[in-house]
Amino acid sequence: MGSFVAQTFQAKVYVTLRPSVLDPAGTAVRSGVQQMGYQNVEQIRIGKYIEVTLQAADEAEAVQQIDQICDRILANPVIETYRFDLTPLSETATTTAH
Amino acid sequence: MGSFVAQTFQAKVYVTLRPSVLDPAGTAVRSGVQQMGYQNVEQIRIGKYIEVTLQAADEAEAVQQIDQICDRILANPVIETYRFDLTPLSETATTTAH
């Protein structure tokens, strides 16, 4: 009789352009904001915010997988950086009979 | 002699789709992630992360302005919700002689 406990985690991933990379979309939004009367807005930079829900045996496994997923799909490491927070959502106990 | 002290603030704005709104882009990314071998990924939802740097007299004014900018430009209140954190970056003292 083996027992496998899987936990559900949610990662909040923030993907931003590296500081040296120009952000034309952000500059365009800043112009729009300034034309609407908010002249005190100095800079706007636009990134991505991604919520990933996944199952993993423990937090270490979840961190490792999210890291791989960010590197391979969610971010382009050449021009972007990412960081994420991980929160446990619940615990699901799955018992497997042998 | 009048003195006006302006502070620089940075707002980190998170714009997400309302839970009832479908996210086809997120679903497509989840399929891609699963085909790459991460079958344990249950859900992916994609939002925007925006950094706004602005000058304001105090925190209350900055909060009010960011709130307006989010409502009018950064988010579409019909399908999206937003939240933001505000951090003071520095203090700039401007003295105006009369």
Side-chain angles (χ1 to χ4, degrees), chain A residues 14 16 33 36 38 40 42-45 47 49-55 65 68 72-73 83, chain B residues 14 16 33 36 38 40 42-45 47 49-55 65 68 72-73 83:
Chain A
Y14 312 95
T16 47
V33 167
M36 289 177 76
Y38 305 98
N40 54 323
E42 291 180 348
Q43 196 184 37
I44 292 185
R45 282 180 83 82
Y49 167 68
I50 305 154
E51 288 175 350
V52 181
T53 312
L54 82 167
Q55 291 213 352
Q65 292 223 332
Q68 286 176 8
R72 296 175 67 184
I73 310 177
R83 61 192 166 80
Chain B
Y14 311 94
T16 46
V33 167
M36 288 176 77
Y38 304 99
N40 54 321
E42 292 180 345
Q43 195 185 40
I44 292 186
R45 282 181 81 83
Y49 167 68
I50 305 153
E51 289 175 349
V52 181
T53 313
L54 81 168
Q55 291 214 352
Q65 292 222 332
Q68 286 176 8
R72 296 175 68 186
I73 311 177
R83 61 191 167 80

Side-chain angles (χ1 to χ4, degrees), chain A:
Chain A
M1 175 80 100
S3 167
F4 172 69
V5 181
Q7 267 185 291
T8 306
F9 293 92
Q10 189 184 57
K12 296 175 195 291
V13 181
Y14 312 95
V15 180
T16 47
L17 286 169
R18 289 181 186 278
S20 58
V21 177
L22 288 175
D23 178 12
T27 308
V29 173
R30 191 197 55 187
S31 299
V33 167
Q34 287 181 339
Q35 275 170 25
M36 289 177 76
Y38 305 98
Q39 264 90 22
N40 54 323
V41 172
E42 291 180 348
Q43 196 184 37
I44 292 185
R45 282 180 83 82
I46 300 176
K48 280 175 286 183
Y49 167 68
I50 305 154
E51 288 175 350
V52 181
T53 312
L54 82 167
Q55 291 213 352
D58 52 33
E59 196 172 311
E61 191 189 282
V63 166
Q64 195 201 4
Q65 292 223 332
I66 293 291
D67 219 36
Q68 286 176 8
I69 291 169
C70 287
D71 249 335
R72 296 175 67 184
I73 310 177
L74 301 182
N76 175 353
V78 178
I79 56 166
E80 292 169 329
T81 54
Y82 63 85
R83 61 192 166 80
F84 59 86
D85 307 324
L86 196 73
T87 332
L89 283 188
S90 73
E91 207 157 289
T92 324
T94 315
T95 308
T96 323
H98 288 283

Side-chain angles (χ1 to χ4, degrees), chain B residues 64-83:
Chain B
Q64 195 201 3
Q65 292 222 332
I66 293 289
D67 219 35
Q68 286 176 8
I69 291 169
C70 287
D71 249 335
R72 296 175 68 186
I73 311 177
L74 301 183
N76 174 354
V78 178
I79 56 165
E80 293 170 330
T81 54
Y82 63 84
R83 61 191 167 80

